[in-house]
Amino acid sequence: MKESPSPGLCCRIEMRVPSVTGSLAVVRAALHAMGGAFGLCEADDHDVCLAVDEALANVIQHAYAGQSDQSILVAIELRGSAGDGSVSISIEDRGRAVRPEEIRGRALDELRPGGLGVHIIRSVMDDVEYAAGPEGGTILRLGKRLGRHGKNEQARRADASAPRSPTRDGGPRQRDEETDEGGTQA
Amino acid sequence: MTDPSAAVKGIRSVKGATVITLAGDIDLHHVPQIHPVLLREVDKKPSVLVIDLGDVGYMDSSGVGVLVQVFQRVKAYRGKLRLARMGPRVRSIFEITKLDKYFALRDSVEAALES
């Protein structure tokens, strides 16, 4: 693992991107650049990109329901060092707020497309919290400790498959992407 | 980082099998382009369908969803689907979602064609 440019450094970037699927590659590229400069290991870099990508896809598909004239605010903050630091992410939309009773998790013991995005986010991030936005919509906050890939990380990921209590993810509301449409999402 | 554009790079017949080569980043943006091509080949019901993922640098859950659908359709007509040359980034999402146990993963296209 490369050393961070300066121990204790705090780097923050904010991006406001349109609510279109083409934004996914743009945000991933920015995250790769930031992670590379910070010295993130390959696994952490991938985890962060995957979580943000799945969260953005969720907003585009479900919160905005395909409306392409909206925007999403993405903020990423890296603190400490790549080997012993943390990343905090917030993803804010002003789309349709989803009521908890409208959504549900997705069991992994069945083979079918759809509904895997939130499971993936929970698997690769340590903290996942949904909150109501100040002007409507939802703010998703994600957190992860860096430099922990190894046996312990594998165990933690396995644990992410276990059923969750409502309080573990905090927040008054949750959004999931459970769908029976099949086809283009998992 | 790989080329963020994704595409069906090639489709060929080898020893009676169909080999589809995908490339780039397979995300929600590119899945609508790849999805119909894959399903069109599945509709031809090849006995063995190999999807070469060696040039795919990134895949999200939408890409996984397409492969799950392909798997289900191939299984329905009793064909065989094999995924070849899956890189570590792509493999990780299959492991996270525990889908790796359903798919036949092979290190090379040649190995996928053999068994």
Side-chain angles (χ1 to χ4, degrees):
Chain A
M1 181 185 300
K2 292 189 294 182
E3 289 299 316
S4 296
S6 175
L9 185 68
C10 178
C11 303
R12 179 182 173 88
I13 59 171
E14 286 189 9
M15 293 171 278
R16 186 174 291 280
V17 297
S19 57
V20 296
T21 55
S23 294
L24 299 176
V26 175
V27 173
R28 288 202 304 272
L31 291 175
H32 279 306
M34 185 182 187
F38 201 78
L40 292 192
C41 68
E42 167 77 14
D44 281 338
D45 177 63
H46 183 240
D47 284 354
V48 170
C49 282
L50 188 57
V52 172
D53 188 276
E54 295 291 345
L56 287 177
N58 203 7
V59 169
I60 291 166
Q61 287 184 294
H62 301 288
Y64 287 133
Q67 295 178 74
S68 59
D69 59 347
Q70 303 298 308
S71 67
I72 308 167
L73 180 62
V74 184
I76 299 104
E77 190 169 290
L78 289 166
R79 294 189 207 89
S81 67
D84 185 24
S86 64
V87 58
S88 300
I89 300 160
S90 73
I91 297 171
E92 183 174 352
D93 68 71
R94 294 184 182 179
R96 181 175 70 92
V98 181
R99 297 165 63 88
E101 56 268 31
E102 291 179 339
I103 59 176
R104 59 190 187 279
R106 160 82 148 83
L108 296 181
D109 56 358
E110 52 183 329
L111 180 65
R112 64 176 174 84
L116 292 174
V118 169
H119 168 79
I120 291 169
I121 293 170
R122 286 174 174 163
S123 296
V124 300
M125 303 302 288
D126 295 312
D127 304 307
V128 180
E129 178 187 333
Y130 291 88
E135 300 177 39
T138 302
I139 301 174
L140 170 59
R141 296 189 180 92
L142 306 173
K144 181 179 180 67
R145 265 81 68 195
L146 301 172
R148 298 193 313 163
H149 280 274
K151 288 183 178 178
N152 291 340
E153 180 69 0
Q154 296 304 319
R156 190 186 65 79
R157 289 185 182 217
D159 181 60
S161 299
R164 300 232 163 182
S165 67
T167 57
R168 183 165 178 179
D169 291 329
R173 298 181 301 162
Q174 297 179 2
R175 173 180 295 145
D176 210 327
E177 54 188 339
E178 172 71 325
T179 174
D180 294 325
E181 295 171 2
T184 58
Q185 46 174 197
Chain B
M1 187 178 172
T2 56
D3 180 355
S5 62
V8 177
K9 198 173 176 182
I11 301 172
R12 59 195 171 104
S13 295
V14 183
K15 301 176 185 176
T18 295
V19 179
I20 301 176
T21 303
L22 302 181
D25 290 3
I26 301 179
D27 62 7
L28 186 64
H29 185 64
H30 294 105
V31 155
Q33 300 153 34
I34 293 169
H35 190 211
V37 178
L38 291 176
L39 295 189
R40 188 182 67 214
E41 293 303 316
V42 170
D43 285 344
K44 296 175 185 175
K45 299 184 177 179
S47 58
V48 176
L49 176 61
V50 177
I51 300 180
D52 180 359
L53 299 170
D55 293 328
V56 174
Y58 177 83
M59 183 181 292
D60 67 11
S61 65
S62 63
V64 172
V66 170
L67 294 181
V68 168
Q69 192 177 24
V70 167
F71 176 84
Q72 290 173 322
R73 292 197 181 194
V74 171
K75 187 179 176 186
Y77 70 79
R78 298 179 186 276
K80 293 179 180 175
L81 172 67
R82 292 166 192 150
L83 305 182
R85 300 202 306 140
M86 185 182 283
R89 284 190 163 222
V90 177
R91 184 182 289 266
S92 74
I93 193 169
F94 279 79
E95 292 172 348
I96 290 168
T97 55
K98 304 192 184 303
L99 291 170
D100 52 328
K101 63 185 177 186
Y102 292 103
F103 288 88
L105 310 181
R106 299 291 184 270
D107 291 336
S108 68
V109 172
E110 291 71 25
L113 291 169
E114 288 172 3
S115 63

